[in-house]
Amino acid sequence: MNLTDRVVVVTGGAGGIGSALARRFAAEGAAAIVVADLNADAARAVAEAVGPVAHPVGLDVTDEEQVRALVADTEQRYGRIDLFCANAGVATGGGVDAPDADWDRAWRVNMLSHVYTARAVLPAMLARGGGHLLMTCSAAGVLTAVGDAPYTATKHAAVGFAEWLAITYRDRGIRVSALCPQGVDTPMLSEGLAAGHLGAKVIAASGAVLTPDQVADSVVAGLAEERFLILPHPEVAAYALRRAEDPDGWQAGLRKLVRRLTA
Ligand SMILES: NC(=O)c1ccc[n+]([C@@H]2O[C@H](COP(=O)([O-])OP(=O)(O)OC[C@H]3O[C@@H](n4cnc5c(N)ncnc54)[C@H](O)[C@@H]3O)[C@@H](O)[C@H]2O)c1
């Protein structure tokens, strides 16, 4: 897919990666970009900065009715959705003792929202015989996020769901991509680093911390090649291979890194 004249929706569009995607899609010549976010004021500010091609919407991706309305309103306003970027996500932190409320929030935002999105966008895309769904998962979805069990489990689930969608719908014209960055310089990571969270330190020690604009570059390249797995950090592929070939050795290496960072 190239972005010229495309109608695109970006959820979490007011955040670091989402706003970079919106800016980049505008530069690539998209016909319309719907910037949707829980933070409606921030979505409006991003849309204003992107320009007249952008349209802000306030919504909660964990509310299925709101997701349906977003899709229906966009299709009515612009005639179709070519690319839906399900990018909203949350990192709650915590381990087995994290409160149920945190597990529930992580599950609903990082995973269940993708089901709501697929239910809402697939009928029109299938009827037209084409469409692209980009799900922002995480390197945590193919590896692990030290210090954040709900994030690890829900991002793994999201990658699994993305793969299921890709296999089930590809022959009917639907493309699915799972965007799996490692560290990206957005509030999600910078706040963790500022607070001295172990997970944020592990991410920073595991590879480059990219700018959201660099992630947007990878997304545009990955969409052009219609790739399933979009890895802005190429080292994640090497880590995933090592994890698959030698899970015990890979876990030992990660434990060693954690011991070094906590010494
Ligand atoms: N920053 C990183 O290091 C990193 C690495 C890998 C993956 N990711 C993923 O990238 C995506 C974007 O995160 P970011 O780094 O830009 O963080 P961010 O916190 O800057 O942006 C996340 C955005 O999602 C919005 N959001 C949260 N809950 C929502 C909801 N229920 N409904 C609608 N919008 C909601 C927030 O308001 C925010 O604008 C997330 O899915 C995140 O898990 C981030």
Side-chain angles (χ1 to χ4, degrees), residues 10-27:
V10 184
T11 71
I17 293 172
S19 59
L21 291 177
R23 284 194 303 275
R24 184 60 197 269
F25 294 159

Side-chain angles (χ1 to χ4, degrees), residues 12 14-18 36-39 59-62 87-90 109-110 136-139 151 155 181-184 186-189:
I17 293 172
D37 202 285
L38 191 59
N39 186 337
L59 100 153
D60 182 348
V61 295
T62 69
N87 169 76
V90 289
V109 180
N110 295 342
T136 303
C137 302
S138 172
Y151 194 77
K155 292 292 188 178
Q182 200 165 238
V184 186
T186 72
M188 190 177 277
L189 180 61

Side-chain angles (χ1 to χ4, degrees), residues 137-187:
C137 302
S138 172
V142 289
L143 302 170
T144 211
V146 171
D148 198 335
Y151 194 77
T152 301
T154 56
K155 292 292 188 178
H156 269 259
V159 173
F161 182 55
E163 189 173 86
W164 184 90
L165 287 171
I167 290 167
T168 305
Y169 291 105
R170 171 94 188 204
D171 290 345
R172 294 162 72 187
I174 309 299
R175 303 290 186 262
V176 179
S177 297
L179 171 61
C180 293
Q182 200 165 238
V184 186
D185 187 11
T186 72

Side-chain angles (χ1 to χ4, degrees), residues 4-101:
T4 312
D5 291 331
R6 300 296 188 179
V7 176
V8 184
V9 176
V10 184
T11 71
I17 293 172
S19 59
L21 291 177
R23 284 194 303 275
R24 184 60 197 269
F25 294 159
E28 293 288 319
I33 303 153
V34 175
V35 178
D37 202 285
L38 191 59
N39 186 337
D41 291 340
R44 202 170 307 114
V46 169
E48 270 170 27
V50 169
V53 78
H55 174 68
V57 174
L59 100 153
D60 182 348
V61 295
T62 69
D63 181 328
E64 184 165 19
E65 272 319 301
Q66 293 187 35
V67 175
R68 274 190 207 287
L70 168 72
V71 169
D73 293 349
T74 305
E75 285 170 350
Q76 195 176 26
R77 184 183 271 258
Y78 301 110
R80 66 190 189 281
I81 296 173
D82 297 303
L83 169 65
F84 193 107
C85 302
N87 169 76
V90 289
T92 59
V96 290
D97 294 328
D100 281 5

Side-chain angles (χ1 to χ4, degrees), residues 83-129:
L83 169 65
F84 193 107
C85 302
N87 169 76
V90 289
T92 59
V96 290
D97 294 328
D100 281 5
D102 285 359
W103 280 97
D104 189 55
R105 182 157 156 262
W107 171 253
R108 295 182 68 79
V109 180
N110 295 342
M111 174 53 210
L112 199 57
S113 69
H114 294 301
V115 178
Y116 296 159
T117 296
R119 280 183 192 148
V121 296
L122 282 174
M125 284 184 176
L126 287 168
R128 286 204 336 273

